Amino acid sequence: ELSELDSKLAQYVDSHQEEYVEALRDWVAVESDSSNVLKRSELNRMMEMVAQKLRQMGGTVELVDVGEQELPDGSTLALPKVATAQFGSDPNKRTVCVYGHVDVQPAKLEDGWATEPYNLTDINGNLYGRGASDNKAPVLAWIHAVAAYQALSMELPVNVKFLIEGMEETGSNGLDAMILAQRDTFFSDVDYIIISDCGWLSRRPALTYGTRGNCYFYAEVEGPKQDLHSGVYGGAVIEPMIDLIGILDTLISPSGKILIPGIREAVAPLSDEEWKMYQDIQFDMDNYRNKVGVSQLMYNNKVDLLAHLWRYPTVSIHGIEGAFSDPGTKTVIPAKVTAKFSIRQVPNMDPAAVKKQVTDYLHSVFAKRKSPNKLKVTMVIGAKPWLADTQHALYEAGKAAVKRVFQMDPDLIREGGTIPVARTFQDVTGKSIIMMPIGGFDDGLHSQNEKISRYNYIEGTKLFIAYLNEVSQITIQV
């Protein structure tokens, strides 16, 4: 049952679809690739465009300087500024802060794109372009949601703040320090933080309530003082590569069981309610398997698979540096090799403890080999997981908004990946956070032919409008 207010706003959104698509076209045309320092001027231009759009709407806008980054060659480069904006400052209203980013993953036509990645292309209602779903359309949808209230001269039901950054894809450099610095200023009156930087799991709308963290390791084995010829020296020396592969093989079993002592014991147990939640989620195993392109997955039922994607840790081995990896044959014994592997973190695991468990375990396994080579283990990333309470008023409001716009209940899902800013917001500001995705399950984030469907973009804008309304009705817990 849509109120008159809702139908006016919904009609406004429908009649401005083309304008919204054009806005996305303008944004996607900017190659705001944060990993490529040669594109930094494009990224700065992108941040200017964001600030300009927010200014045109009459917001109080700032481009905040967050310092510089050091490049591998020792030189420094200014980080893109972070855009903040405020609409409304009524002390009698709730205040929400919307977080998003406008930097993108690299993309080139020759990577296997069917269309030019930076030229938004509409094919059968799908809007193809790098950054379309991650995260330009969701950021625009939030901006358009606020603008719709303004265009109809309707008062915003809540005060809305924006925090839009340009370094998310490379680790949000400078953002943690900025959030800390503005804890008692920009964030002081914020009640809730909304992140829309993820996607649905199926065709059913979703609310996201958890993400895994990530501990990333280097394991380096060093032996002879230089690379050796395997014909001349093979059989005389104990090879670092063989040591390294031997110890990597002890991290995880063929059936996916993590073998490092202490890790499985730290994982929060799966409750009956949680099992029931997973059971109710819409998820097509066959579709998922085909999309990945494998004949068999690690688990053959939905609950086990989702649980191992969302709430159990993983060990993944990403590669070995220093090994011979070019085409052709080369009879080399590498003198020093470094493995890169990571462990996704879940609730009740602590990165500091994981660092010790992994380091101690690999050293003990290595010692049993009685090798003269040297092992060095370092942890280079230690990002914690994030988990919200799905019974919280923010989520109740989210369920109500989804029901109003899509006439169905959302799936409550978790993300297997890591969105470190969520945990930073929680730890620094102490505010409650909700993740409210509008991206589709098949949007191809970080992949070739990334897209957002026109349906998700437009209906997502209506969802954000409805959500602002629902949040305004949360009663303040005294």
Side-chain angles (χ1 to χ4, degrees), residues 387-400:
L387 191 63
D389 170 14
T390 55
Q391 304 303 312
H392 188 284
L394 262 191
Y395 281 83
E396 295 303 332
K399 292 171 203 171

Side-chain angles (χ1 to χ4, degrees), residues 152 167 225 468:
L152 295 171
M167 287 296 282
K225 64 176 193 284
L468 292 177

Side-chain angles (χ1 to χ4, degrees), residues 51 54-55 57-63 83-89 160-162 186:
L54 294 165
R55 276 192 209 109
M57 290 162 54
T60 311
V61 182
E62 271 185 64
L63 278 171
T84 64
Q86 176 161 359
F87 295 89
S89 54
V160 180
K161 289 188 165 186
F162 284 93
F186 182 78

Side-chain angles (χ1 to χ4, degrees), residues 251-253 256-269 299 308 311-314 343 346-349 354 357:
L251 292 172
I252 187 162
S253 79
K257 186 172 147 187
I258 296 177
L259 304 173
I260 304 152
I263 288 195
R264 291 204 322 277
E265 293 78 355
V267 177
Y299 304 95
H308 284 86
R311 56 109 53 232
Y312 287 117
T314 56
I343 300 179
V346 298
N348 301 4
M349 287 170 71
V354 170
Q357 287 159 345

Side-chain angles (χ1 to χ4, degrees), residues 116 134 183 185 221 233 290 323 350 383 434 437:
E116 282 290 345
D134 182 15
R183 179 176 61 189
T185 49
V221 177
Y233 296 99
N290 293 334
D350 169 34
I434 185 170

Side-chain angles (χ1 to χ4, degrees), residues 9-24:
L9 285 159
Q11 271 166 355
Y12 180 85
V13 170
D14 283 334
S15 61
H16 287 76
Q17 286 197 39
E18 292 318 310
E19 194 186 303
Y20 298 160
V21 172
E22 285 313 306
L24 183 59

